[in-house]
Coordinates of all heavy atoms in Angstrom, one line a residue:
M1 N 137.5 119.5 170.2 CA 138.1 119.4 168.9 C 137.6 118.2 168.1 O 137.4 117.2 168.7 CB 139.6 119.4 169.0 CG 140.3 119.5 167.7 SD 142.1 119.8 167.9 CE 142.0 121.6 167.6
T2 N 137.4 118.3 166.8 CA 136.9 117.3 166.0 C 138.0 116.2 165.7 O 139.1 116.6 165.3 CB 136.3 117.8 164.7 OG1 135.4 118.8 165.0 CG2 135.7 116.8 163.8
N3 N 137.6 115.0 165.7 CA 138.6 113.9 165.4 C 138.5 113.7 163.9 O 137.5 113.3 163.3 CB 138.2 112.6 166.1 CG 139.1 111.5 165.8 OD1 140.1 111.6 165.0 ND2 138.9 110.3 166.4
T4 N 139.6 114.0 163.2 CA 139.7 113.8 161.7 C 140.6 112.7 161.3 O 141.0 112.5 160.2 CB 140.2 115.1 161.1 OG1 141.5 115.4 161.6 CG2 139.3 116.3 161.3
E5 N 140.9 111.8 162.2 CA 141.8 110.6 162.0 C 141.3 109.8 160.8 O 142.0 109.3 160.0 CB 141.9 109.8 163.2 CG 142.8 108.6 163.1 CD 142.9 107.8 164.3 OE1 143.1 108.4 165.4 OE2 142.8 106.6 164.3
N6 N 139.9 109.6 160.7 CA 139.4 108.7 159.6 C 138.7 109.6 158.5 O 138.0 109.0 157.7 CB 138.3 107.8 160.2 CG 138.9 106.8 161.2 OD1 140.0 106.2 160.9 ND2 138.3 106.6 162.3
A7 N 139.0 110.8 158.5 CA 138.5 111.7 157.4 C 139.0 111.4 156.1 O 140.1 111.0 155.9 CB 138.7 113.2 157.8
V8 N 138.1 111.5 155.1 CA 138.5 111.4 153.7 C 138.3 112.7 153.0 O 137.2 113.2 152.9 CB 137.7 110.3 152.9 CG1 138.0 110.2 151.5 CG2 137.9 108.9 153.6
W9 N 139.4 113.4 152.5 CA 139.3 114.7 151.9 C 139.1 114.5 150.4 O 139.7 113.7 149.8 CB 140.6 115.5 152.2 CG 140.8 115.6 153.7 CD1 141.6 114.9 154.5 CD2 140.1 116.5 154.6 NE1 141.5 115.3 155.8 CE2 140.6 116.3 155.9 CE3 139.1 117.5 154.4 CZ2 140.1 117.0 157.0 CZ3 138.6 118.2 155.5 CH2 139.1 117.9 156.8
V10 N 138.2 115.3 149.9 CA 137.8 115.2 148.4 C 138.0 116.6 147.8 O 138.0 117.6 148.5 CB 136.4 114.7 148.2 CG1 136.3 113.3 148.8 CG2 135.4 115.6 148.9
T11 N 138.1 116.6 146.5 CA 138.1 117.9 145.7 C 136.6 118.3 145.4 O 135.9 117.4 144.8 CB 138.9 117.7 144.4 OG1 140.2 117.3 144.8 CG2 139.0 119.0 143.6
P12 N 136.2 119.5 145.7 CA 134.8 119.9 145.3 C 134.6 119.9 143.8 O 135.4 120.4 143.1 CB 134.7 121.3 145.9 CG 136.0 121.7 146.4 CD 136.9 120.5 146.3
E13 N 133.5 119.3 143.4 CA 133.1 119.3 142.0 C 131.7 119.9 141.8 O 131.4 120.4 140.7 CB 133.2 117.9 141.4 CG 134.6 117.3 141.4 CD 134.6 116.0 140.8 OE1 133.6 115.5 140.3 OE2 135.7 115.3 140.9
L14 N 130.9 119.9 142.8 CA 129.5 120.4 142.7 C 129.3 121.5 143.7 O 130.0 121.6 144.7 CB 128.5 119.3 143.0 CG 128.6 118.1 142.1 CD1 127.7 117.0 142.6 CD2 128.2 118.4 140.6
V15 N 128.3 122.4 143.4 CA 127.9 123.5 144.3 C 126.4 123.3 144.6 O 125.7 123.1 143.7 CB 128.2 124.9 143.6 CG1 127.7 126.0 144.5 CG2 129.7 125.0 143.3
C16 N 126.1 123.5 145.9 CA 124.7 123.4 146.2 C 124.3 124.6 147.1 O 125.2 125.3 147.7 CB 124.4 122.1 146.9 SG 125.1 121.9 148.6
T17 N 123.0 124.8 147.4 CA 122.5 125.7 148.3 C 122.0 125.0 149.5 O 121.4 124.0 149.4 CB 121.3 126.5 147.7 OG1 121.8 127.2 146.5 CG2 120.8 127.5 148.7
V18 N 122.4 125.5 150.7 CA 122.0 124.9 152.0 C 121.4 126.0 152.8 O 122.0 127.0 153.0 CB 123.2 124.2 152.7 CG1 122.8 123.7 154.0 CG2 123.8 123.1 151.8
K19 N 120.3 125.7 153.4 CA 119.6 126.6 154.3 C 119.9 126.1 155.7 O 119.8 124.9 156.0 CB 118.1 126.7 154.1 CG 117.4 127.7 155.0 CD 116.0 127.8 154.6 CE 115.3 128.7 155.6 NZ 113.8 128.8 155.3
Y20 N 120.2 126.9 156.7 CA 120.5 126.5 158.1 C 120.1 127.6 159.0 O 119.9 128.7 158.7 CB 122.0 126.1 158.3 CG 122.9 127.3 157.9 CD1 123.3 128.2 158.9 CD2 123.4 127.4 156.6 CE1 124.2 129.2 158.6 CE2 124.3 128.4 156.3 CZ 124.7 129.3 157.3 OH 125.6 130.3 157.0
M21 N 119.8 127.1 160.3 CA 119.3 128.0 161.3 C 120.4 129.0 161.8 O 120.2 130.2 161.9 CB 118.8 127.3 162.5 CG 117.5 126.4 162.2 SD 116.2 127.4 161.6 CE 115.7 128.2 163.1
M22 N 121.6 128.5 162.1 CA 122.7 129.3 162.5 C 124.0 128.5 162.4 O 124.0 127.3 162.2 CB 122.5 129.7 164.0 CG 122.4 128.6 165.0 SD 122.1 129.1 166.7 CE 123.7 129.6 167.2
K23 N 125.1 129.2 162.6 CA 126.4 128.5 162.6 C 126.8 128.3 164.1 O 126.5 129.1 164.9 CB 127.5 129.4 162.0 CG 127.4 129.5 160.5 CD 128.6 128.9 159.9 CE 128.4 128.9 158.4 NZ 129.7 128.9 157.7
T24 N 127.4 127.2 164.3 CA 127.9 126.9 165.7 C 129.2 127.6 165.9 O 129.8 128.2 164.9 CB 128.1 125.4 165.9 OG1 129.2 124.9 165.0 CG2 126.9 124.6 165.6
E25 N 129.7 127.6 167.1 CA 131.0 128.3 167.4 C 132.1 127.7 166.7 O 133.1 128.3 166.3 CB 131.2 128.3 168.9 CG 130.4 129.3 169.7 CD 130.8 129.3 171.2 OE1 131.9 128.9 171.5 OE2 129.9 129.8 171.9
S26 N 132.0 126.4 166.4 CA 133.1 125.7 165.7 C 133.0 125.8 164.2 O 133.8 125.2 163.5 CB 133.2 124.2 166.1 OG 131.9 123.6 165.7
G27 N 131.9 126.5 163.7 CA 131.8 126.7 162.2 C 130.8 125.7 161.6 O 130.7 125.8 160.4
G28 N 130.2 124.8 162.3 CA 129.3 123.9 161.8 C 127.9 124.5 161.5 O 127.6 125.6 162.0
M29 N 127.1 123.9 160.8 CA 125.7 124.4 160.5 C 124.7 123.7 161.4 O 124.7 122.5 161.5 CB 125.3 124.2 159.0 CG 126.2 125.0 158.1 SD 125.7 124.7 156.4 CE 126.6 123.2 156.1
R30 N 123.8 124.5 162.0 CA 122.8 123.9 162.9 C 121.5 123.7 162.0 O 121.1 124.6 161.4 CB 122.5 124.8 164.1 CG 121.5 124.1 165.0 CD 121.5 124.7 166.4 NE 122.8 125.0 167.0 CZ 123.6 124.2 167.7 NH1 123.2 122.9 167.8 NH2 124.7 124.6 168.2
Q31 N 121.0 122.5 162.0 CA 119.8 122.1 161.2 C 119.9 122.4 159.7 O 119.1 123.1 159.2 CB 118.5 122.8 161.8 CG 118.2 122.4 163.2 CD 117.1 123.1 163.8 OE1 116.9 124.3 163.6 NE2 116.2 122.3 164.6
P32 N 120.9 121.9 159.1 CA 121.1 122.2 157.6 C 120.1 121.5 156.8 O 119.7 120.3 157.1 CB 122.5 121.7 157.3 CG 122.8 120.7 158.3 CD 122.0 121.1 159.6
V33 N 119.6 122.1 155.7 CA 118.7 121.5 154.8 C 119.2 121.7 153.4 O 119.5 122.9 153.0 CB 117.3 122.2 154.9 CG1 116.3 121.6 153.9 CG2 116.7 122.0 156.3
F34 N 119.4 120.7 152.6 CA 119.8 120.7 151.2 C 118.7 121.3 150.4 O 117.6 120.8 150.4 CB 120.2 119.3 150.7 CG 120.5 119.3 149.3 CD1 121.7 119.7 148.8 CD2 119.6 118.7 148.4 CE1 122.0 119.6 147.4 CE2 119.9 118.6 147.0 CZ 121.1 119.1 146.5
K35 N 119.0 122.4 149.7 CA 117.9 123.1 148.8 C 118.1 122.8 147.4 O 117.1 123.0 146.6 CB 118.0 124.6 149.1 CG 117.7 125.0 150.5 CD 116.5 124.5 151.1 CE 115.3 125.4 150.8 NZ 114.1 125.0 151.4
G36 N 119.3 122.4 146.9 CA 119.4 122.0 145.5 C 120.8 122.3 145.0 O 121.6 123.1 145.6
L37 N 121.1 121.8 143.8 CA 122.4 122.0 143.1 C 122.3 123.3 142.4 O 121.3 123.7 141.9 CB 122.7 120.9 142.2 CG 123.0 119.5 142.8 CD1 123.2 118.5 141.8 CD2 124.3 119.7 143.7
R38 N 123.5 123.9 142.2 CA 123.6 125.2 141.4 C 124.5 125.0 140.3 O 125.6 124.5 140.4 CB 124.1 126.3 142.3 CG 123.2 126.7 143.4 CD 123.6 127.9 144.1 NE 123.8 129.0 143.2 CZ 123.9 130.2 143.7 NH1 123.9 130.5 145.0 NH2 124.0 131.2 142.8
E39 N 124.1 125.3 139.1 CA 124.9 125.2 137.9 C 125.5 126.5 137.5 O 126.3 126.6 136.6 CB 124.0 124.7 136.7 CG 123.5 123.2 137.0 CD 122.7 122.7 135.9 OE1 122.6 123.3 134.8 OE2 122.2 121.6 136.1
D40 N 125.1 127.6 138.2 CA 125.6 129.0 137.8 C 126.9 129.3 138.6 O 127.4 130.4 138.3 CB 124.5 130.0 138.1 CG 124.1 130.1 139.6 OD1 124.2 129.0 140.3 OD2 123.8 131.2 140.1
K41 N 127.4 128.5 139.4 CA 128.6 128.8 140.2 C 129.6 127.6 140.1 O 129.2 126.4 140.0 CB 128.3 129.1 141.6 CG 127.5 130.3 141.9 CD 128.0 131.0 143.1 CE 127.3 132.3 143.3 NZ 128.0 133.4 143.0
S42 N 130.9 127.9 140.1 CA 131.9 126.8 140.2 C 132.4 126.7 141.7 O 132.3 127.7 142.4 CB 133.0 127.1 139.3 OG 133.8 128.2 139.8
P43 N 132.9 125.6 142.1 CA 133.4 125.5 143.4 C 134.5 126.5 143.8 O 134.6 127.0 144.9 CB 134.1 124.1 143.5 CG 133.3 123.3 142.4 CD 133.0 124.3 141.3
E44 N 135.3 127.0 142.8 CA 136.3 128.0 143.0 C 135.7 129.3 143.4 O 136.3 130.2 144.1 CB 137.2 128.2 141.8 CG 138.0 127.0 141.4 CD 137.2 125.9 140.7 OE1 136.2 126.2 140.1 OE2 137.6 124.7 140.8
E45 N 134.4 129.6 143.0 CA 133.8 130.9 143.4 C 133.2 130.9 144.8 O 132.8 131.9 145.3 CB 132.6 131.1 142.4 CG 133.1 131.4 141.0 CD 131.8 131.6 140.1 OE1 131.4 132.7 139.9 OE2 131.3 130.6 139.6
C46 N 133.2 129.7 145.4 CA 132.5 129.6 146.7 C 133.4 129.7 147.9 O 134.5 129.0 147.9 CB 131.7 128.3 146.8 SG 130.5 128.2 145.4
I47 N 133.1 130.5 148.8 CA 133.9 130.6 150.1 C 132.9 130.6 151.2 O 131.7 130.9 151.1 CB 134.7 131.8 150.1 CG1 133.9 133.1 150.0 CG2 135.8 131.8 149.1 CD1 134.6 134.4 150.4
D48 N 133.4 130.2 152.4 CA 132.5 130.1 153.6 C 132.8 131.5 154.3 O 133.8 131.7 154.8 CB 133.0 129.0 154.5 CG 132.1 128.8 155.7 OD1 131.0 129.4 155.7 OD2 132.4 128.1 156.6
N49 N 131.7 132.3 154.4 CA 131.8 133.5 155.1 C 131.4 133.3 156.5 O 130.2 133.4 156.9 CB 130.9 134.6 154.5 CG 131.3 135.0 153.1 OD1 132.5 135.1 152.8 ND2 130.4 135.2 152.2
I50 N 132.4 133.0 157.4 CA 132.1 132.8 158.8 C 132.0 134.2 159.5 O 133.0 135.0 159.4 CB 133.2 132.0 159.5 CG1 133.2 130.6 158.8 CG2 132.9 131.9 161.0 CD1 134.3 129.7 159.3
T51 N 130.9 134.4 160.1 CA 130.7 135.7 160.8 C 130.4 135.5 162.2 O 130.0 134.5 162.7 CB 129.6 136.6 160.1 OG1 128.4 135.8 160.1 CG2 129.9 136.9 158.7

């Protein structure tokens, strides 16, 4: 389990594209690469599709 004792939670304001090899069992991204910001979507439109 992840330790979130020192976590700082923020409100999303920007949307970006991230390329990754695969998702881990805990929902993390393996080898993520930032591809760029997106101006065509708002944070409210984005959801994480865990499959």
Side-chain angles (χ1 to χ4, degrees):
M1 186 165 262
T2 304
N3 181 359
T4 59
E5 182 178 314
N6 296 316
V8 177
W9 301 101
V10 298
T11 302
E13 295 182 8
L14 301 172
V15 176
C16 71
T17 300
V18 177
K19 181 178 178 181
Y20 56 91
M21 295 299 290
M22 63 183 281
K23 287 243 178 151
T24 64
E25 287 185 18
S26 63
M29 293 180 277
R30 186 161 317 275
Q31 298 177 318
V33 177
F34 173 76
K35 302 303 274 183
L37 292 174
R38 294 188 59 165
E39 296 181 5
D40 63 325
K41 293 218 179 255
S42 69
E44 295 79 23
E45 294 177 89
C46 300
I47 58 169
D48 184 14
N49 292 322
I50 297 175
T51 56

